[in-house]
Amino acid sequence: QVELLETGERSVKPGGSLKLSCVVSASKYSGNSVGWFRHVPGKEREGVAAAYTPDGNTFISDSVKDRFAMSRDNARNTVYLQMNNLKPSDSGTYYCAVAEYVFGRPLDWTVYKTWSQGTQVTVSS
């Protein structure tokens, strides 16, 4: 089970920051990959960040690597997506998801099987 808890406002102005939180059930947290994805209607779902939990590598998409960061709080089975210098193109529905196997593709949404309900992020002036 994956629960997405947003922290902070979901609507920000360009240049602003937002931090999303994702709490993963204890049974799914360790030994898996937890990823952050976003979706804009009419476009394919995009992987923005992923990490092998609890202490494995972190992967950030080239499209956001200078502005987004992913972190973990293993004691709380929680991962975070810190988004800085947000742009209108970052608007969309953000999801976190868990995959047991990623087949070497941690940012590929198709390998993730358990998903949060998603939260809308709007970046607009």
Side-chain angles (χ1 to χ4, degrees):
Q1 184 176 359
V2 178
E3 180 180 1
L4 178 62
L5 302 176
E6 64 268 19
T7 301
E9 297 180 0
R10 289 171 289 178
S11 180
V12 298
K13 294 181 178 179
S17 296
L18 189 64
K19 186 175 184 178
L20 301 179
S21 304
C22 177
V23 181
V24 182
S25 63
S27 64
K28 291 187 179 294
Y29 186 77
S30 292
N32 291 324
S33 176
V34 182
W36 286 100
F37 302 86
R38 64 186 181 188
H39 183 238
V40 176
K43 295 185 178 181
E44 186 174 5
R45 192 167 297 192
E46 177 188 10
V48 296
Y52 296 130
T53 53
D55 298 312
N57 292 338
T58 301
F59 306 89
I60 306 294
S61 171
D62 287 343
S63 65
V64 300
K65 65 180 180 180
D66 295 330
R67 301 183 293 117
F68 289 16
M70 183 174 178
S71 60
R72 290 161 282 196
D73 183 342
N74 295 329
R76 293 180 170 83
N77 297 338
T78 301
V79 298
Y80 304 94
L81 182 67
Q82 177 68 47
M83 304 184 289
N84 300 322
N85 190 20
L86 284 161
K87 304 175 181 180
S89 58
D90 294 317
S91 298
T93 302
Y94 282 72
Y95 303 87
C96 63
V98 176
E100 186 175 358
Y101 301 106
V102 296
F103 308 100
R105 308 190 304 273
L107 297 179
D108 180 351
W109 69 269
T110 65
V111 303
Y112 287 78
K113 304 303 181 185
T114 304
W115 290 81
S116 68
Q117 77 280 11
T119 189
Q120 179 66 37
V121 171
T122 301
V123 184
S124 174
S125 57

